Amino acid sequence: MAAALLFVAAALLITGLRQGPVLGSPDFTIDPDFGIPTPPHDTPYRSTANIVATAAMTLVGLTGVLLGIREWVKTRSWLPLMIAVSGAFIALPEVFFDVMGAVYFPWSETNHAYTILGREMPWWIVAGWFGYGAFNFFTFKVLLSNPRTKVLWLMWGGAAAGDVVFEEILLATGVYHYYGNQPLMITPQLPWWWIPCNSVGVFLAASIAYRYREQMRGWKALGMIVVTPMSVGAVYGFIALPSWIATNSTLPWLPTQLLGLLTIALGVVAYCLILHNVLGRPPFAMDFVPGEREAPAVGSANA
């Protein structure tokens, strides 16, 4: 509780000093017809940065795929491989998150993967989520090791810290850009309310794979292609609404930040619900290790 109060106080202090009466993002113009922030279509497309980001995230994703193939060779289970591959399919619901959460990806005629809701998306976002599949695979492997619940909390904390570093690097290259009245602009360019949305969403996908690993043998492992993007979408739907309201509004500083903090609080609630209802773990029993009779799914760790 003390740590949570300290974070809230620090977030309000930093955003208050950085922004004051200024609305969340420097790019904040309201569409006169729809009354919501206008995407910054004049943001320049940076070819080199897109190529580097696409190549780097593809390599990360291929690492997850190679580890999944290694698991298949050892266990003849397709599930770890499909967990890694399924990350790329999060690129489809990504567009909906971007429209509601006010993110814009500069693109070009030569770097255009698909269009949904009128948003043209570059190839690097597909590669980006493909790379996230490696984290999906890693989470699944951690769950198979049946660790103490404390390890899962530390893993989530590490994922959150890594997300800040990773996104700030990408944002500095200009391959995408947050606009609108973004809550929790604590670091230079990343609104922190996004952090639990992605990390908890992927954790839910890996937890479902672990929970139903006995049922998802053989061709049924293909179900991860649906499970992973739906898991991320479900978490966004559960926790992101307060921040979506703030981002697409002209609310002043304090209610904007409080709505962002509500998203983070709901992210913690969602994580606890996954621990309890999917993994069968008391969320705050840090030394708890499920026994065979207590675990929600019983089977070989190599399944």
Side-chain angles (χ1 to χ4, degrees):
M1 180 60 70
L5 292 175
L6 181 62
F7 171 75
V8 170
L12 292 177
L13 176 62
I14 293 170
T15 56
L17 291 174
R18 286 190 66 194
Q19 296 173 231
V22 179
L23 296 175
S25 168
D27 287 320
F28 193 88
T29 55
I30 294 293
D31 185 287
D33 296 320
F34 296 99
I36 58 176
T38 303
H41 295 294
D42 58 348
T43 303
Y45 170 76
R46 304 183 187 278
S47 177
T48 301
N50 270 267
I51 291 171
V52 171
T54 301
M57 295 309 299
T58 298
L59 287 174
V60 174
L62 286 175
T63 301
V65 168
L66 290 174
L67 291 173
I69 293 174
R70 180 173 177 267
E71 288 297 307
W72 176 81
V73 171
K74 290 169 55 179
T75 67
R76 296 302 173 184
S77 172
W78 289 99
L79 184 57
L81 174 59
M82 295 313 303
I83 289 171
V85 170
S86 65
F89 291 87
I90 305 173
L92 296 176
E94 164 76 21
V95 184
F96 298 86
F97 312 151
D98 295 349
V99 171
M100 296 296 293
V103 185
Y104 181 70
F105 291 82
W107 61 285
S108 73
E109 293 295 339
T110 58
N111 186 6
H112 176 221
Y114 59 96
T115 300
I116 299 176
L117 295 180
R119 288 292 183 99
E120 295 85 357
M121 305 298 288
W123 279 105
W124 99 258
I125 191 59
V126 180
W129 279 116
F130 177 54
Y132 232 91
F135 174 66
N136 204 10
F137 172 87
F138 171 76
T139 303
F140 178 72
K141 288 292 291 180
V142 170
L143 290 173
L144 283 179
S145 70
N146 203 28
R148 298 181 186 277
T149 299
K150 174 172 61 178
V151 173
L152 300 183
W153 281 103
L154 290 173
M155 181 181 67
W156 187 35
D163 187 48
V164 174
V165 175
F166 172 71
E167 288 213 48
E168 287 291 350
I169 292 172
L170 285 173
L171 286 162
T173 69
V175 292
Y176 65 108
H177 186 73
Y178 292 100
Y179 63 98
N181 189 31
Q182 296 283 350
L184 300 182
M185 299 289 290
I186 296 173
T187 47
Q189 297 189 61
L190 173 66
W192 278 34
W193 69 266
W194 284 84
I195 296 172
C197 297
N198 294 334
S199 57
V200 178
V202 174
F203 181 72
L204 174 58
S207 298
I208 291 174
Y210 173 77
R211 171 67 176 83
Y212 293 102
R213 63 194 183 279
E214 292 297 318
Q215 290 79 12
M216 299 183 74
R217 292 181 175 274
W219 65 269
K220 296 177 183 178
L222 288 169
M224 289 305 301
I225 292 175
V226 175
V227 168
T228 296
M230 287 186 66
S231 295
V232 176
V235 169
Y236 267 90
F238 182 65
I239 75 174
L241 181 59
S243 293
W244 285 342
I245 292 171
T247 297
N248 291 281
S249 74
T250 55
L251 289 170
W253 164 76
L254 183 57
T256 296
Q257 309 314 314
L258 292 177
L259 287 169
L261 289 168
L262 180 55
T263 287
I264 291 181
L266 288 172
V268 175
V269 171
Y271 198 77
C272 292
L273 289 173
I274 296 167
L275 289 173
H276 185 270
N277 294 327
V278 181
L279 299 176
R281 292 171 175 263
F284 300 109
M286 296 301 173
D287 291 325
F288 179 80
V289 179
E292 290 189 357
R293 292 184 180 181
E294 297 169 307
V298 178
S300 170
N302 292 327

